[in-house]
Amino acid sequence: WAWTRLSTLTINRDSERKPISAAQRTNVAKIYDYYGASGKIDKIDKYIFNEKLLLIGEDGANLVTRSKPIAFFAEGQYWVNNHAHVLKFTSYELRKYVENYLNSIDLSKYISGGAQPKLNQDNLNKITIPIPNIERVKYVVSILDRFDTLCNDLSTGLPAEIETRQKQYEYYRDKLLSFEKIQK
């Protein structure tokens, strides 16, 4: 494991994001996702990104409350406002590893601001992440992906849960209905 600053793992694309006011988003074709600090907040008629990128909330109460993930993935054609950092990674596995890591740690020492919490770019770049070799990163991500699928994909997780409960039911049914013969 090597503790590595986030800034050395990514290409920061913050300079390409553009805010659009709510008024500018009215009466437009709602085609493309419009992202802010906590995820999708609207749809608009244009896009500025057309690749898989990691977005990290830059400001807002969610930095403290953590009611939604701080780091989240965006793909397809979409727009990002100035409330989310935009990061590009060299591989899916590294992006997914960093996303999970950031969502699991306490970021309070990187957050500034009183009334309006903020994770500015300088502080974002200072975050250190333990990075193992790429094979280990792939292994960790494969386990996290399988777990995510079981928890969130109804076509996979639900049948697995039903099968588990069916086996549990059969086990306890057989235990409850098995009787020892009484010797006379």
Side-chain angles (χ1 to χ4, degrees):
W1 299 80
W3 286 91
T4 309
R5 283 184 180 251
L6 182 60
S7 60
T8 65
L9 300 170
T10 68
I11 298 168
N12 190 298
R13 307 271 303 269
D14 284 1
S15 64
E16 299 172 53
R17 45 187 195 164
K18 300 174 189 168
I20 298 177
S21 70
Q24 293 172 300
R25 295 191 313 263
T26 6
N27 299 324
V28 297
K30 303 286 186 169
I31 302 168
Y32 306 106
D33 292 329
Y34 180 78
Y35 286 91
S38 298
K40 294 176 193 173
I41 56 173
D42 202 353
K43 289 199 173 271
I44 61 171
D45 61 342
K46 302 175 210 150
Y47 66 91
I48 52 177
F49 295 104
N50 187 17
E51 60 188 304
K52 298 174 182 179
L53 299 170
L54 183 64
L55 307 183
I56 300 171
E58 181 174 352
D59 52 28
N62 190 50
L63 288 172
V64 177
T65 64
R66 303 293 286 258
S67 59
K68 293 183 179 181
I70 299 295
F72 47 95
F73 180 56
E75 66 181 322
Q77 298 169 323
Y78 55 94
W79 193 285
V80 180
N81 70 21
N82 60 326
H83 297 286
H85 295 290
V86 182
L87 303 177
K88 181 177 181 171
F89 288 82
T90 56
S91 70
Y92 163 80
E93 292 85 6
L94 187 57
R95 182 208 49 86
K96 187 72 174 180
Y97 179 85
V98 170
E99 175 185 358
N100 280 285
Y101 183 76
L102 292 175
N103 284 327
S104 71
I105 64 168
D106 178 13
L107 294 171
S108 60
K109 65 182 176 184
Y110 302 104
I111 297 170
S112 60
Q116 176 72 348
K118 186 163 182 73
L119 176 61
N120 63 38
Q121 194 174 111
D122 286 341
N123 286 341
L124 176 72
N125 290 334
K126 290 177 187 172
I127 296 173
T128 55
I129 300 173
I131 303 291
N133 65 50
I134 192 63
E135 292 309 312
R136 188 71 174 169
V137 168
K138 288 178 180 180
Y139 175 72
V140 168
V141 168
S142 72
I143 290 172
L144 292 171
D145 281 348
R146 280 190 300 229
F147 185 69
D148 184 59
T149 298
L150 282 173
C151 291
N152 297 312
D153 183 354
L154 288 178
S155 65
T156 303
L158 191 56
E161 182 66 20
I162 290 169
E163 182 181 347
T164 301
R165 295 296 156 239
Q166 183 65 32
K167 287 178 182 176
Q168 187 179 38
Y169 163 77
E170 291 168 2
Y171 172 81
Y172 285 111
R173 179 199 62 204
D174 293 347
K175 283 285 193 193
L176 287 168
L177 297 176
S178 64
F179 303 97
E180 289 183 30
K181 282 190 174 183
I182 300 175
Q183 301 274 339
K184 289 188 183 183

